[in-house]
Amino acid sequence: MDEIAVTTAENYPQLLLENQLCFPLYAAARRVVNAYTPYLKPLGLTYTQYVAFMCLWEQGEMYVGDLCARLRLDNGTVTPLVKRMEQEGYLTRCRCREDERMVKIRLTEKGWTLRDAVKDVPAGVGCGMPLTPEEAAALQALLIKIL
């Protein structure tokens, strides 16, 4: 068995975890998202809700499909998220009269007020990142290029 494993490692270097770009990207993404937990959990928010709020704070209102596109998530992920945010009083949903398949979401006063509660989260999370501002900007540019 050990001989097979050694042969595999020698003959398939492209399958070594250390040679993968995807793995450190995946692990770093998990670490960054987890860094938000101490800030968001006391507010009853998930990271996905937080980024959805950021889109809504930019736009005020938008269609669910546009939110899906912006977050790069499918409708099956975003719809339950939006329903929960509505149940908690952060937004309202209404079907478009012209096309009932389209649902517009709009922040409520409570949704707008939440922005003040999380305004310092980016700085708090950023302080825990071992990157200079220049490195962070370069990384962001590379990630956007991948997307």
Side-chain angles (χ1 to χ4, degrees):
M1 181 82 159
D2 290 333
E3 186 177 317
I4 293 173
V6 171
T7 303
T8 302
E10 290 171 0
N11 293 333
Y12 298 94
Q14 72 272 25
L15 297 180
L16 293 174
L17 191 58
E18 67 195 37
N19 292 339
Q20 307 305 308
L21 173 62
C22 62
F23 184 73
L25 185 58
Y26 162 76
R30 286 188 53 228
R31 177 170 278 180
V32 169
V33 170
N34 287 340
Y36 283 85
T37 301
Y39 299 95
L40 301 178
K41 191 172 185 176
L43 299 170
L45 297 177
T46 65
Y47 178 77
T48 309
Q49 287 174 317
Y50 173 67
V51 294
F53 274 117
M54 285 194 283
C55 293
L56 287 162
W57 291 324
E58 267 181 49
Q59 304 290 319
E61 65 181 27
M62 62 195 320
Y63 289 104
V64 171
D66 294 334
L67 182 61
C68 291
R70 188 81 194 280
L71 296 178
R72 299 173 193 271
L73 295 170
D74 61 48
N75 201 0
T77 300
V78 173
T79 297
L81 177 84
V82 166
K83 285 181 179 179
R84 182 170 174 214
M85 292 165 71
E86 181 183 39
Q87 289 168 351
E88 293 174 5
Y90 291 118
L91 57 83
T92 59
R93 292 181 303 147
C94 68
R95 295 214 171 266
C96 179
R97 290 181 187 166
E98 297 80 33
D99 184 348
E100 289 198 6
R101 295 172 296 176
M102 297 180 71
V103 176
K104 185 171 269 190
I105 51 178
R106 179 177 293 135
L107 286 171
T108 62
E109 186 175 331
K110 183 178 178 181
W112 284 109
T113 302
L114 184 63
R115 184 170 52 171
D116 287 331
V118 298
K119 70 181 183 331
D120 297 326
V121 170
V125 172
C127 288
M129 296 295 152
L131 300 173
T132 66
E134 296 79 18
E135 290 171 330
L139 178 59
Q140 184 177 23
L142 288 171
L143 293 171
I144 289 169
K145 186 175 183 179
I146 290 172
L147 290 173

